[in-house]
Amino acid sequence: MTPPCYEGHQLTLLRDGAAFFPALLSAIDAAQFEIRLETYIFSSDDIGLAVTRALMCAAQRGVRVGLLLDGFGASAFPVKLRQALQDAGVQLLFFRPEVSRFALRRSRLRRLHRKLSCFDGQLAFVGGINIISDDDGPGMAPRYDYAVAVKGPVVFDIEQALARQWRYTAWMQFKKSNFVRVHWPLSREVGRAKARLVVRDNARNRHAIEKAYLQAIEAAQSEIMIANAYFLPGLRLRQALMRAAKRGVKVVLLLQDERDHALLQYASWAYYRDLLHAGVEIYQYKSGFMHAKVAVIDQAWATVGSSNIDPFSLLLAREANLVIEDASFAQQLRSDLQCRLQRDAVLILPEHVHQASYLRRAVVWTCYGLVRLLLGVSGYGGRKYLE
């Protein structure tokens, strides 16, 4: 059993970068004592430069600022910006720095995929939005994603998670960290929403996010809505979704089409036939790039975070999701998902699978086989997970 959520939270749903980045910049500007920020990608575009300047200004006015980036996702972060941040007093670390893009090491797959930040131990952001512009070019909608701003007792857990990851990264690189940890008091209760932080790592929390999904799916009574960019669930999750559909729960999946990471997207088609046969509704997002990782169950339970439902998130990467038990928040997120389904998505019908060309079927099973091979070669049990 997963731990229960606890009360006392104020939650704000942030849709896409248009809502997230102004809120993030405002939090950086308002910070007085400490800023901790983790992200997978940190671009040097207009958004990245704005966040960089805000962090440097904060450090120069005496705020302790720690910035932790993934060594692969942020490997292109310019040296000049790294130096400028450090000169301004920002402490900067890279999780598993990329040494060679052509190295075949298992550790390369263990990425820091979390998007977490915390300000003065009182305000935190959790979600899937990287520090990069969500403008993907002419004719395409802004990248579709979510984050949540949270105040209340769970902020203490988020700050602890950030601090632990910082200490671990510094220790693994034999670096002395001057980031003196502040032992913030528990945030006071500021609302009625229930929430808890769920992290996935390669130690005690290897299956924590998967278990949170499974428990909520098994308990569902009326409706399950999942929007996930990279959807290649393991056997237990697939069976749980199909059991739910067969017992009368409406199960709706909103997934990315093949334009992004085609290997995983085509591989996911290998499961469409069984899911559709069980009564699961599958929609593909067509307006642009989808990066969302959210779910709503029975209009009362929700999760927003960084974890995809694929083997790379559920078996390898460090991830963080906020699990929320609050009808108001869940219904707000559900309403937004419904708008996306109606406006930006196409329903996949059984005949789309049954009547697929031989070429498409060959592509699907080739991609599925390649994913299994990659997981097997890396030592992470592709067959055990996928079958």
Side-chain angles (χ1 to χ4, degrees), residues 201-321:
D201 56 34
N202 292 304
R204 292 182 300 173
N205 301 301
R206 296 175 67 88
H207 303 289
I209 291 177
E210 183 179 19
K211 287 179 179 178
Y213 267 107
L214 284 168
Q215 182 177 338
I217 290 168
E218 296 287 8
Q221 297 181 1
S222 59
E223 183 183 67
I224 298 168
M225 295 186 71
I226 296 174
N228 209 271
Y230 308 120
F231 183 81
L232 200 64
L235 181 62
R236 291 191 300 172
L237 270 173
R238 293 200 310 277
Q239 290 180 336
L241 289 170
M242 291 188 289
R243 282 195 301 269
K246 289 176 179 178
R247 68 174 183 266
V249 177
K250 183 178 181 179
V251 181
V252 180
L253 305 178
L254 175 58
L255 312 177
Q256 173 72 63
D257 66 7
E258 297 86 357
R259 79 183 67 209
D260 186 25
H261 287 76
L263 176 66
L264 281 175
Q265 305 302 356
Y266 277 117
S268 70
W269 274 79
Y271 299 144
Y272 280 17
R273 183 188 298 269
D274 289 343
L275 289 168
L276 291 169
H277 180 72
V280 175
E281 296 180 21
I282 302 175
Y283 292 79
Q284 284 193 330
Y285 184 78
K286 295 290 186 179
S287 291
F289 289 107
M290 171 183 167
H291 200 250
K293 304 108 170 47
V294 301
V296 180
I297 296 180
D298 290 344
Q299 300 188 45
W301 183 99
T303 186
V304 179
S306 65
S307 181
N308 293 297
I309 301 179
D310 73 354
F312 300 100
S313 277
L314 295 179
L315 297 179
L316 304 173
R318 282 167 167 76
E319 305 282 6
N321 278 33

Side-chain angles (χ1 to χ4, degrees), residues 44 74-87 92 94:
S44 58
S75 60
F77 193 67
V79 174
K80 287 185 178 180
L81 284 185
R82 302 183 192 193
Q83 191 60 54
L85 283 163
Q86 291 170 338
D87 290 345
L92 175 63
F94 285 83

